[in-house]
Amino acid sequence: MDENSTPLVGVSIVVKGTRVAATTNEKGSFTIHVQPHAVLLMSYIGYQPLEIPVGDQTVLNAQMKLSSKSLGDVVVIGYGTQRKVDVTGSVASVASAVIRERPSPNALGALAGQVPGLNITTNSGRPGDYRINIRGFNSINASNNPLFVVDGVIGVDYTTINPNDIATIDVLKDASSTSIYGARGSGGVIIITTKHGFNSRPMVNYSFVGGYNVLPREIPVLNSTEYQAIEKAAYAFVPGRAYPDFATLEPELYNPDGTPRYNTNWQKEVYKPTFSQNHNLSVTGGNDDLRYSMNYGYQDDEALLLLTYNKKYSMRINVDGKVNNWLSTGLNLSGTYFQERIQDDGVGGLTATREVLEALPMIPVKRTDGTWGGNWMHLASEGADNPVNILQTKYNINNRTVVLGSTFFNIRLSRDLDFRTSFSGQINTNKNNNAFSGSAVQRGLYQRISAGVNADKAVYWQSSSYFTYKKAFKGDHNLNVMLGAEWAKNSYEIVSASASKFDGDFYLWNNLGAANVPNPPTSSSYDWQINSYFSRAIYSLKDKYLFTATGRYDGSSKFGANHKYAFFPSAAFAWRVSEEGFLKNNRVINNLKLRVSYGSTGNSEIGQYQSISSLTSNTAIFNNTRATGEVQGTIPNPDLQWEKTNQFDLGVDLSLFGNRINLVADIYDKETKNLLLSAPVPFTSGYDNILKNIGSVRNRGIELGLMTNNLTGPFQWNTTINFTINRNKILALGTHNEDIFPGPRFLDQTNILRVGEQVGTFFGLEREGVWGSAEGAKAAVYNAKPGDLKEKDINGDGKIDGNDRTILGYAYPTYTMELINKFAYKNFDLLIDLQVSQGNKVLNLAYATSEDRQTLANSYKTVLNAWTPDNENTSIAKVRLNSDGPSLRQDNHYLEDGSFIRGKNISLGYNFSSRLVESMHLHNLRVYAGVQNAFLITKYKYGYDPEVSTYPQAFAYGIEFYALPKARTFNFGVNVGF
Amino acid sequence: MRRIKIFQGILLVSLSMNFSCTKFLQENPRSFYTPDNYYTSLVQAQNAVNGIYAFTRDFYASIGLYSEDAMFMLEMPTGQARTEINQSNNNANLLNLTMTPTDLYFTQWWRSSYKGIDAANLAIKNIQLMSSAIVPDAQKAQLLGEAQFLRAWFYFNLTRIFGDVPLITEPTVTADNLQVSRTATKDIYEKEIVPDLLAAEKSGLPFVDNTGRVSIGAVKSLLAKVYETMAGYPLLQTDKYALAKQKALDVISSNKYTLYQNYDQFRDPANDNKMENIFMAQFSSAIASSPMFSFTLPSFSYISNGQGEIGALLPDPTFYKSYEPGDKRTGERQFFYSHYPNFTTGANVVFTNGQHIFKYFDDVAQQTGLPSGKCFPVIRLSDIYLLYAEAQNEADGMPGADAYIYLNAIRTRAGLTPLAGLTHDQFRKAVWKERNHELCFENQTWFDMVRTRMVYDTKNDQFVPMVGYSFPGSGATKTFQTKHLLFPIPQSEMDVNPKLAPNNSGY
């Protein structure tokens, strides 16, 4: 049985030194014939293996201990499996029990913080919106995402996997483990293995998690009275300029005495509590010849923003069959249907998440006649619709269907030689429906009503075959050689249509032909193909000295004619020091392994057709009619090739006091060369840039994973600390190592790529404050007046321009840490999960629009501290109308310290005792309740959450512009098996 | 045995997935052409030329984040413009004469001009290679004529704005040798602009084209402007005045273009490519709209049906007051306006900042709320009339009878008394003043200023040297220096091509 005294099904029991074996049945019982003085070895995925001498016993009870950090049996390493103790690379395994502890829209949310070096952060409060990277960012233009392999299918979209389907996740971090994936491995590899059936009678399991989501905190913005005071001050910026008589001009909004009628708290109107739920039902069972696992799931994740959801219906069936003693086969088939409604897209425009903070407080949500209120009701404001109006009239819905299937045949050619061939496919289709009307219908602005549809389809197939040869030679030599080949192809097509100026909002996207202004439809398609040959040899001597060598020869259609193929090798050595005589029965150290590896991987995740020359079409107009034009497109680069990453890893696995204290530590050094960069070319060529392999980036870091079983008696307490430090440095850039400004560009460039600095470096002016009344002469030098912003003239040349910009801070943290404490007493268990991030800065671009545009839109409460002759010690310029002169600068005022400590998950569970459970004819019953995002300690004030990124590129990390806030979620869950 | 047979079977199956290595990895794009499979029919030759026209929109279209438009680069620094919104550093720097090479508009003019030039080079080279069975000679000549006019126009803008610029007449096919050095202004005119236009003059294109394509009238008009500019700074080839006069007369005496009778006809989209219009940058409401209406509407004035009302460009009050008393163009809703009814309530809205530009007011867009599709006037007949008057006065040393006819046609339309009996210098200045008042905010004023190096001192109603002139009311904080005769080459271009160094002096 397991740590909760629940029977464990499918435990593998072997009589040590023989091939006599058995497995436990659904009651956790087994029968085995042994000789006297035999020793039984028991092993089960996710649990620590047991060695039990039988002695004279005929009946034996054994309890297995959970091993979430897998000193457990086996890890999946890509085209094979390996005993954890034999692994020479840096591989971390996460068991499904750990994933189930953390309710999340997809598997990534549950993985966050579980593996040092695996950095998973959320970009915003949109469900499932994650940014993921292993050991730092290697690439600027190619994707940095790790490669996902699901049951052998390479490149699957992880969002399509139901977290409840997962049995284990193996994270491959160093070259020795990832090189076998060659040209797609430099971002690291995450291998997901889904649940398969056991030799047992059918077992049914149902789990439910419900979540109640609330907004953790509001951002302080002006209320109506404060807004009016600021507005009066802004009009008074020009002496003698009269404040408009709003009581007469806008009687709907103002009382006769001039005070505002309404005081709307838009954050309360828009961010209302929501309810998420997740149901899962699984049926598994089988016998020696046929095993099955069926899984059904329904998930509905709601964000805080009205009308934002992510629903998933999923189904999976995994079948494993033994045809005869040399042929086995299997099928993994899953289908998933998503429905997602997004409301936080359209960054830069007057979106709902922006209007929540910028809508004027004296505007009502609805006017007395029932129509929508909006900023346009007030003189000189920016004319935006109110956010509730936007949310109710804006649609951006994705309906996605994913079918993933793979089948394999495993042929035992001889005792030592196996051949496995598999064929997999994935079909991923999406229909996107969008429409927007805002208050257009109400205001008669029918040309503003727009709608559109997009439909795309991706078909991926993959054919893999490999031989595995395993032999133990006399003298404690063990050899494992694998040799294989692979072909894969992805075909993608998309078609889009849109139209505007409908006569109302009835049709939405369901009748584009009824619009008055149709836009020309567009379509396109592309393919890419990969062909590879790979091999791995593992040699171990005396079970103590382990050598691994891998090599992969990859060819991709994306690369230039001169470099279609490339070779990626690796080598590793590990020494199981604890098997040596001097440590064999040491009472303190029960496991010590030293590992070192070096190798290379590649990154092929760029777009297609980048190496060839192309034309492109544009549109000319003659007589109000469209005419096609055909002009230059891209310059060819026949030398375009892979980004290549060479990585060195040194690691130690240490366990003390009988696994009471376990430490996994790695130190690594990765250098990525041939970085794919858009090298700017002179505009005189008629082009903007050409994709070239010209940069190089280095990542160095330390990963520490510490697991301690502090108390092991009736009251149990164990702790896990995962600690990650990564230092990223750009070594070479551009043809002359010149700076690159990759964007986004806001008032000016926001960040810089510079040799010697890291990716994600903020760049801009430094704000010294505001010119004081006594500084009129000095201010005039800079074309400014007292009350205007004072920027630092870094080069002292008497003007504030691009040369005064400097490096302001870094987006990536100095270190991150996850502190997990688990307590168990009798039937109760308590989990406390803390997330720490230190040293990261956040560039909140919303300051520019929500602080410096008085009278155009609402502002942060910070403007109450704006400069006046009586309040000179401030960084906020004197309030004014927008037409009075510039007061916006891309400077460090918008940069805040984003360090935080988050109470990520606090969860209390109760397992009903086996007697009670059996009397209900059940197998197990567990209930739990908890809080996710329970608390947040941070200095970041004018954004909802410092773990935020509005733009997807690696170099734009930590830049926010009105992101959707993350919720605090109160969970309640039930797990029942029978 | 059976095992081996089945194994062989499966091996064959998986080996059969073996595609021939190199063919499997070949790329066969289906959504775009490559230069190898294009230029094979008359339609494709036409499309290659059509593509060049698309770049003409780039200088008058909305760019950047803050209501910015490359045409502002030629308006903001004249001392005659203002803005109502202050979110753009690019606009502010031009208004204050503090522009730097990193500002946005220089990149837009440089980059879009060279894109158009490469598209023209590509079309010219490939069309010439096409056989006359596919493209008959007469049509080939016309297509080449269109491409040559556009290429000349791009280079004309480049050299007037940046001075010496690289001269490239071959399309770019590889990434080698892209760093080119600057060619002297004189050579650009004599080796590229004038020869291209002279060739286009013989291309057999129709004299007028009402669809927006290049016409002989456009070619001759551009030639007239080119010769007029060569006669001025920096080349000072004063013999070119006679040629300018001749080309302008060709256009006027063809009688294929008609002067507007009133200023509403200037604004009317029904007159696009007709009446006075000789060459326009083409826009269309549903395809690619023009932002000029939106940018010149007073900021958040609510006088239109939901248009963006930006107030990005409006006249400086001193400029407005520089018109002669009784000049119709300063009347309400002629070239300018100072109030308009609120679209919803009808109440009269008096603009906070006084006079705004009415030239780009689009009546249809104002009512419907649809984006404005008004084409932008690059060359119109009034320009050629005044150009003739100026050229004839310079070429012959004193104004002749027809010079007065054409100058006075513009004046009488504005309700001003016709001029007579002026000296050579008085006539020249009268023409300059008329050009400034008639062609204001049409991207003409700046080019007139740099080719004459004189500026209209609006406060004192006289012409003074451009260098040293301070904007009225600026307290000498905004004064033209010698460096302002040219704009800086974009910094990003200097960074990527060291052969262009040094940048124009002063930047």
Side-chain angles (χ1 to χ4, degrees):
Chain A
M1 43 192 92
D2 72 358
E3 71 283 8
N4 299 319
S5 300
T6 310
L8 279 173
V9 182
V11 178
S12 154
I13 300 159
V14 172
V15 180
K16 188 171 180 180
T18 75
R19 291 194 117 197
V20 178
T23 49
T24 56
N25 63 12
E26 68 275 8
K27 291 213 181 72
S29 303
F30 66 95
T31 309
I32 195 167
H33 293 288
V34 300
Q35 304 297 326
H37 306 298
V39 176
L40 295 179
L41 300 173
M42 302 184 183
S43 58
Y44 188 64
I45 282 194
Y47 286 80
Q48 302 170 32
L50 283 185
E51 221 177 270
I52 304 185
V54 175
D56 297 327
Q57 299 171 80
T58 50
V59 175
L60 196 147
N61 285 325
Q63 182 164 49
M64 304 194 73
K65 292 212 174 92
L66 190 65
S67 165
S68 61
K69 273 298 159 178
S70 94
L71 285 182
D73 206 23
V74 151
V75 299
V76 183
I77 54 166
Y79 309 105
T81 59
Q82 198 169 32
R83 291 189 310 162
K84 174 73 185 170
V85 292
D86 291 338
V87 168
T88 53
S90 175
V91 179
S93 294
V94 181
S96 66
V98 170
I99 297 168
R100 284 200 303 270
E101 278 169 357
R102 294 163 176 77
S104 153
N106 59 52
L108 278 207
L111 262 190
Q114 300 304 315
V115 174
L118 173 62
N119 304 305
I120 298 177
T121 54
T122 52
N123 290 323
S124 72
R126 192 201 290 192
D129 188 11
Y130 295 105
R131 184 182 287 255
I132 174 171
N133 130 273
I134 296 180
R135 293 192 168 175
F137 286 94
N138 308 331
S139 180
I140 291 169
N141 271 312
S143 163
N144 277 289
N145 289 342
L147 183 67
F148 283 87
V149 178
V150 178
D151 294 331
V153 188
I154 301 175
V156 172
D157 178 1
Y158 66 84
T159 61
T160 64
I161 305 298
N162 178 354
N164 288 299
D165 286 355
I166 298 177
T168 50
I169 297 184
D170 293 278
V171 181
L172 312 185
K173 297 186 279 180
D174 73 330
S176 161
S177 52
T178 58
S179 287
I180 197 65
Y181 287 100
R184 289 179 283 178
S186 66
V189 183
I190 297 183
I191 300 183
I192 295 179
T193 310
T194 56
K195 290 184 189 150
H196 289 248
F198 289 108
N199 182 350
S200 76
R201 72 155 180 84
M203 300 207 332
V204 181
N205 197 295
Y206 169 75
S207 72
F208 163 77
V209 181
Y212 181 70
N213 309 303
V214 298
L215 182 70
R217 60 179 188 159
E218 286 186 10
I219 295 179
V221 292
L222 301 175
N223 61 33
S224 299
T225 322
E226 292 162 340
Y227 185 83
Q228 187 164 45
I230 295 289
E231 197 182 22
K232 285 191 173 150
Y235 272 91
F237 182 80
V238 169
R241 184 166 58 193
Y243 182 67
D245 179 13
F246 286 116
T248 316
L249 287 171
E250 297 174 2
E252 194 181 340
L253 299 178
Y254 290 87
N255 294 311
D257 66 357
T259 54
R261 288 188 196 276
Y262 300 97
N263 184 19
T264 312
N265 180 339
W266 291 104
Q267 290 176 77
K268 281 211 165 55
E269 297 294 335
V270 164
Y271 293 126
K272 293 192 191 282
T274 56
F275 184 65
S276 302
Q277 52 183 315
N278 186 331
H279 302 260
N280 201 74
L281 180 69
S282 71
V283 182
T284 54
N287 55 37
D288 275 333
D289 290 336
L290 193 69
R291 295 170 294 286
Y292 60 89
S293 171
M294 301 186 281
N295 226 339
Y296 313 94
Y298 168 68
Q299 208 172 328
D300 177 12
D301 289 291
E302 305 269 323
L304 286 173
L305 205 52
L306 294 177
L307 300 167
T308 308
Y309 55 76
N310 191 336
K311 298 185 200 189
K312 193 150 90 174
Y313 305 81
S314 55
M315 183 262 340
R316 168 178 288 276
I317 174 157
N318 290 347
V319 175
D320 294 286
K322 198 168 99 146
V323 178
N324 53 40
N325 61 1
W326 54 267
L327 180 63
S328 59
T329 180
L331 170 71
N332 299 333
L333 187 63
S334 71
T336 315
Y337 180 64
F338 293 84
Q339 283 176 307
E340 182 187 30
R341 183 165 176 183
I342 300 173
Q343 293 279 17
D344 62 330
D345 55 327
V347 172
L350 300 176
T351 60
T353 51
R354 177 171 174 181
E355 291 312 308
V356 160
L357 300 176
E358 287 206 319
L360 299 174
M362 64 275 189
I363 305 291
V365 179
K366 285 217 164 133
R367 303 164 74 177
T368 44
D369 64 358
T371 57
W372 294 106
N375 277 10
W376 41 266
M377 291 168 74
H378 186 62
L379 177 70
S381 82
E382 197 174 38
D385 294 322
N386 86 53
V388 182
N389 180 358
I390 295 174
L391 291 169
Q392 298 219 1
T393 55
K394 176 174 166 314
Y395 300 84
N396 185 356
I397 298 177
N398 289 317
N399 293 318
R400 179 179 292 277
T401 308
V402 182
V403 175
L404 175 62
S406 73
T407 175
F408 72 87
F409 289 89
N410 206 310
I411 301 171
R412 180 140 267 221
L413 294 169
S414 75
R415 213 165 58 130
D416 309 310
L417 186 62
D418 278 275
F419 176 72
R420 183 182 172 107
T421 181
S422 74
F423 188 80
S424 331
Q426 179 178 253
I427 301 180
N428 188 335
T429 73
N430 186 34
K431 172 100 187 312
N432 171 276
N433 300 321
N434 57 78
F436 180 57
S437 55
S439 61
V441 177
Q442 166 191 342
R443 296 167 67 195
L445 302 171
Y446 294 111
Q447 77 288 344
R448 288 246 196 104
I449 305 175
S450 64
V453 294
N454 300 294
D456 69 60
K457 179 174 84 168
V459 177
Y460 173 76
W461 65 255
Q462 170 189 309
S463 161
S464 295
S465 308
Y466 58 94
F467 293 91
T468 311
Y469 175 76
K470 284 191 223 195
K471 185 137 178 109
F473 295 94
K474 259 206 290 234
D476 294 327
H477 303 277
N478 250 299
L479 188 62
N480 180 327
V481 178
M482 187 272 297
L483 177 69
E486 201 166 76
W487 289 261
K489 178 168 178 164
N490 188 53
S491 301
Y492 178 82
E493 341 174 1
I494 182 169
V495 61
S496 301
S498 62
S500 59
K501 196 169 188 231
F502 293 78
D503 294 333
D505 56 1
F506 170 75
Y507 287 118
L508 297 178
W509 55 85
N510 292 304
N511 188 350
L512 295 180
N516 289 298
V517 181
N519 301 325
T522 63
S523 71
S524 74
S525 68
Y526 64 76
D527 308 327
W528 52 257
Q529 300 90 248
I530 287 188
N531 165 226
S532 326
Y533 305 92
F534 46 88
S535 176
R536 175 175 55 220
I538 306 176
Y539 167 69
S540 82
L541 177 63
K542 296 190 165 102
D543 240 3
K544 273 190 283 189
Y545 310 106
L546 313 157
F547 300 85
T548 308
T550 70
R552 182 164 176 133
Y553 189 61
D554 257 334
S556 164
S557 62
K558 294 179 188 173
F559 289 96
N562 299 341
H563 292 279
K564 285 281 187 210
Y565 282 90
F567 182 63
F568 301 96
S570 81
F573 168 68
W575 178 20
R576 292 184 64 198
V577 189
S578 50
E579 295 296 305
E580 292 290 357
F582 56 86
L583 272 188
K584 186 79 191 194
N585 290 309
N586 191 299
R587 265 176 302 156
V588 175
I589 299 178
N590 64 295
N591 183 42
L592 173 59
K593 181 163 84 176
L594 298 174
R595 305 177 263 109
V596 63
S597 74
Y598 185 78
S600 78
T601 48
N603 188 343
S604 62
E605 290 312 298
I606 59 166
Q608 303 58 237
Y609 313 128
Q610 309 262 23
S611 69
I612 60 179
S613 149
S614 73
L615 298 175
T616 187
S617 20
N618 63 13
T619 305
I621 301 171
F622 299 111
N623 209 15
N624 261 313
T625 321
R626 182 181 298 274
T628 309
E630 196 75 25
V631 298
Q632 68 277 18
T634 56
I635 318 182
N637 182 359
D639 288 323
L640 198 67
Q641 57 174 300
W642 322 90
E643 295 184 349
K644 208 156 188 174
T645 299
N646 292 329
Q647 185 177 170
F648 168 78
D649 184 284
L650 181 63
V652 66
D653 301 340
L654 173 66
S655 296
L656 305 171
F657 305 113
N659 295 336
R660 276 296 281 276
I661 298 178
N662 305 290
L663 175 69
V664 178
D666 279 88
I667 181 168
Y668 61 86
D669 186 335
K670 280 202 298 188
E671 195 169 314
T672 305
K673 297 207 224 296
N674 285 340
L675 225 54
L676 290 163
L677 287 179
S678 258
V681 294
F683 293 132
T684 46
S685 64
Y687 297 87
D688 292 337
N689 47 49
I690 183 174
L691 201 61
K692 263 185 172 179
N693 297 96
I694 44 172
S696 126
V697 153
R698 186 176 67 205
N699 282 289
R700 281 182 176 160
I702 300 172
E703 291 161 5
L704 296 172
L706 177 69
M707 299 136 283
T708 57
N709 296 312
N710 306 318
L711 299 173
T712 52
F715 182 80
Q716 288 168 31
W717 173 27
N718 57 59
T719 303
T720 304
I721 301 179
N722 290 324
F723 182 81
T724 309
I725 290 184
N726 184 66
R727 291 283 173 269
N728 173 297
K729 190 163 170 184
I730 300 175
L731 300 178
L733 203 63
T735 25
H736 309 288
N737 283 333
E738 64 266 14
D739 293 339
I740 293 183
F741 295 101
R745 190 177 195 281
F746 198 65
L747 300 173
D748 197 342
Q749 298 295 350
T750 53
N751 67 87
I752 187 173
L753 296 172
R754 173 176 284 178
V755 173
E757 299 288 343
Q758 37 177 294
V759 175
T761 298
F762 297 117
F763 193 67
L765 298 172
E766 277 184 31
R767 186 182 293 194
E768 288 189 318
V770 179
W771 292 108
S773 320
E775 295 178 293
K778 270 202 272 176
V781 173
Y782 297 98
N783 275 327
K785 291 197 282 290
D788 290 342
L789 290 179
K790 183 159 118 180
E791 307 287 341
K792 192 161 177 191
D793 184 359
I794 294 222
N795 59 3
D797 64 349
K799 38 185 178 139
I800 302 293
D801 59 14
N803 297 324
D804 294 306
R805 297 175 301 175
T806 180
I807 288 178
L808 302 174
Y810 303 105
Y812 289 101
T814 331
Y815 70 82
T816 57
M817 186 161 67
E818 195 94 359
L819 268 145
I820 305 169
N821 281 294
K822 281 204 249 200
F823 307 89
Y825 181 64
K826 298 218 172 135
N827 290 351
F828 286 95
D829 53 78
L830 174 66
L831 166 72
I832 301 179
D833 189 340
L834 293 179
Q835 175 193 13
V836 178
S837 171
Q838 170 62 36
N840 55 306
K841 291 216 176 338
V842 180
L843 181 67
N844 189 351
L845 296 177
Y847 267 108
T849 43
S850 277
E851 196 176 71
D852 286 339
R853 303 191 317 148
Q854 299 91 29
T855 74
L856 281 187
N858 199 7
S859 300
Y860 290 151
K861 277 214 207 294
T862 51
V863 300
L864 293 173
N865 186 30
W867 187 94
T868 64
D870 304 317
N871 178 30
E872 299 215 333
N873 188 13
T874 169
S875 286
I876 302 185
K878 188 170 182 196
V879 298
R880 64 199 70 196
L881 293 187
N882 196 259
S883 52
D884 287 333
S887 63
L888 302 177
R889 290 288 196 166
Q890 188 68 43
D891 62 23
N892 61 350
H893 181 69
Y894 307 155
L895 201 60
E896 279 194 82
D897 182 357
S899 308
F900 64 87
I901 299 176
R902 186 196 306 278
K904 197 154 165 198
N905 194 3
I906 301 176
S907 172
L908 179 67
Y910 182 79
N911 295 287
F912 287 81
S913 66
S914 31
R915 248 172 286 127
L916 181 59
V917 157
E918 272 172 25
S919 71
M920 293 194 269
H921 300 289
L922 299 173
H923 216 239
N924 59 288
L925 179 63
R926 176 187 155 84
V927 295
Y928 62 97
V931 186
Q932 285 179 303
N933 197 15
F935 61 86
L936 181 67
I937 302 172
T938 180
K939 291 201 213 101
Y940 188 62
K941 194 158 178 210
Y942 281 93
Y944 289 104
D945 196 303
E947 186 182 313
V948 66
S949 246
T950 303
Y951 303 91
Q953 303 93 336
F955 43 77
Y957 185 76
I959 300 179
E960 109 141 273
F961 193 63
Y962 299 112
L964 179 55
K966 268 202 279 288
R968 172 164 302 142
T969 305
F970 297 90
N971 287 317
F972 171 73
V974 165
N975 200 303
V976 56
F978 52 94
Chain B
M1 261 293 102
R2 210 163 126 227
R3 182 192 305 182
I4 309 267
K5 282 214 186 88
I6 294 180
F7 161 65
Q8 284 171 337
I10 294 179
L11 191 59
L12 275 167
V13 167
S14 46
L15 282 175
S16 72
M17 318 251 208
N18 247 17
F19 299 84
S20 146
C21 297
T22 41
K23 245 184 67 184
F24 183 65
L25 296 181
Q26 207 169 40
E27 288 189 302
N28 295 311
R30 293 186 297 272
S31 296
F32 56 86
Y33 279 109
T34 64
D36 318 311
N37 59 13
Y38 205 67
Y39 310 111
T40 60
S41 71
L42 177 59
V43 170
Q44 292 184 347
Q46 287 167 335
N47 290 350
V49 171
N50 290 347
I52 314 170
Y53 285 90
F55 296 106
T56 62
R57 295 198 296 272
D58 289 358
F59 313 108
Y60 312 106
S62 174
I63 56 176
L65 290 174
Y66 299 106
S67 314
E68 294 164 318
D69 189 321
M71 72 86 77
F72 292 166
M73 185 188 82
L74 301 175
E75 300 300 336
M76 299 275 176
T78 58
Q80 298 172 354
R82 272 188 309 157
T83 185
E84 269 191 316
I85 46 123
N86 281 293
Q87 295 182 96
S88 163
N89 287 333
N90 295 306
N91 292 340
N93 285 348
L94 287 165
L95 285 167
N96 296 330
L97 295 181
T98 54
M99 50 275 210
T100 70
T102 50
D103 292 347
L104 181 62
Y105 299 141
F106 312 129
T107 305
Q108 185 77 357
W109 278 98
W110 180 278
R111 176 173 174 261
S112 286
S113 298
Y114 275 109
K115 279 191 185 290
I117 287 168
D118 190 65
N121 291 340
L122 196 62
I124 290 170
K125 177 167 190 149
N126 283 293
I127 292 175
Q128 277 170 342
L129 294 172
M130 292 170 82
S131 83
S132 45
I134 306 176
V135 181
D137 289 339
Q139 274 159 306
K140 193 186 269 192
Q142 290 190 12
L143 288 170
L144 292 174
E146 291 181 74
Q148 283 161 327
F149 170 92
L150 291 168
R151 183 166 66 179
W153 184 69
F154 290 127
Y155 272 117
F156 189 40
N157 289 330
L158 279 172
T159 186
R160 286 187 293 175
I161 292 171
F162 299 107
D164 302 339
V165 294
L167 177 60
I168 302 175
T169 49
E170 288 292 321
T172 305
V173 293
T174 72
D176 306 317
N177 303 323
L178 294 181
Q179 295 176 334
V180 287
S181 26
R182 302 166 76 164
T183 302
T185 305
K186 180 168 181 290
D187 288 337
I188 296 183
Y189 279 103
E190 291 176 359
K191 297 205 171 113
E192 157 50 44
I193 298 178
V194 174
D196 257 351
L197 290 173
L198 290 175
E201 210 180 358
K202 303 195 196 81
S203 63
L205 287 164
F207 200 96
V208 174
D209 188 301
N210 296 127
T211 66
R213 286 192 188 268
V214 174
S215 61
I216 297 296
V219 174
K220 286 181 187 283
S221 301
L222 188 59
L223 256 178
K225 290 172 80 71
V226 166
Y227 284 137
E228 188 85 354
T229 309
M230 289 170 83
Y233 287 95
L235 298 183
L236 292 174
Q237 295 177 358
T238 48
D239 57 309
K240 298 292 188 295
Y241 279 122
L243 293 173
K245 165 187 151 195
Q246 185 53 53
K247 295 296 169 193
L249 191 58
D250 285 350
V251 174
I252 298 171
S253 57
S254 74
N255 291 320
K256 294 271 177 36
Y257 300 101
T258 330
L259 218 52
Y260 295 129
Q261 288 118 29
N262 60 61
Y263 300 113
D264 286 337
Q265 290 175 323
F266 175 96
R267 296 184 299 108
D268 188 354
N271 293 327
D272 277 345
N273 305 317
K274 300 194 181 92
M275 285 204 92
E276 270 200 42
N277 289 305
I278 299 175
F279 187 67
M280 306 186 89
Q282 302 296 307
F283 290 91
S284 176
S285 179
I287 306 170
S289 61
S290 163
M292 291 306 300
F293 175 44
S294 218
F295 283 163
T296 52
L297 277 169
S299 177
F300 299 117
S301 45
Y302 299 107
I303 60 176
S304 74
N305 185 0
Q307 293 285 343
E309 293 156 346
I310 312 292
L313 183 66
L314 52 145
D316 181 83
T318 323
F319 173 72
Y320 177 79
K321 293 196 199 103
S322 72
Y323 284 77
E324 290 171 40
D327 190 326
K328 278 195 193 154
R329 295 172 287 204
T330 56
E332 190 62 26
R333 299 193 204 165
Q334 301 298 314
F335 276 6
F336 308 104
Y337 64 144
S338 62
H339 58 88
Y340 206 84
N342 178 302
F343 181 76
T344 331
T345 66
N348 191 31
V349 179
V350 176
F351 309 140
T352 327
N353 282 307
Q355 295 288 343
H356 285 254
I357 299 171
F358 198 67
K359 265 186 172 180
Y360 299 107
F361 196 93
D362 184 327
D363 293 326
V364 173
Q366 186 256 348
Q367 282 296 312
T368 62
L370 285 172
S372 171
K374 181 76 179 64
C375 299
F376 188 88
V378 175
I379 310 177
R380 62 182 175 106
L381 190 61
S382 300
D383 183 356
I384 303 300
Y385 267 40
L386 293 170
L387 196 148
Y388 176 85
E390 182 182 355
Q392 188 273 312
N393 185 33
E394 298 303 325
D396 302 334
M398 51 167 291
D402 44 357
Y404 274 107
I405 290 175
Y406 299 128
L407 171 60
N408 287 329
I410 307 298
R411 285 181 63 87
T412 43
R413 177 175 67 188
L416 298 174
T417 51
L419 295 173
L422 298 175
T423 67
H424 162 90
D425 190 60
Q426 288 170 328
F427 187 85
R428 159 205 280 180
K429 301 225 161 101
V431 175
W432 285 351
K433 183 165 138 183
E434 211 51 51
R435 286 185 70 83
N436 201 329
H437 282 156
E438 176 64 29
L439 305 171
C440 62
F441 302 110
E442 290 177 43
N443 266 197
Q444 302 286 350
T445 305
W446 179 266
F447 288 139
D448 286 342
M449 278 162 61
V450 297
R451 71 174 168 85
T452 60
R453 296 203 178 163
M454 301 289 276
V455 63
Y456 183 40
D457 176 358
T458 44
K459 190 144 197 249
N460 302 312
D461 189 28
Q462 57 176 355
F463 277 88
V464 298
M466 187 178 158
V467 177
Y469 172 71
S470 296
F471 291 178
S474 73
T477 56
K478 302 177 193 175
T479 308
F480 282 128
Q481 300 155 43
T482 318
K483 74 175 188 183
H484 294 123
L485 294 171
L486 288 174
F487 289 105
I489 293 181
Q491 185 60 44
S492 56
E493 192 75 350
M494 301 299 299
D495 290 339
V496 100
N497 184 358
K499 283 197 187 167
L500 296 175
N503 206 334
N504 292 331
S505 96
Y507 293 111

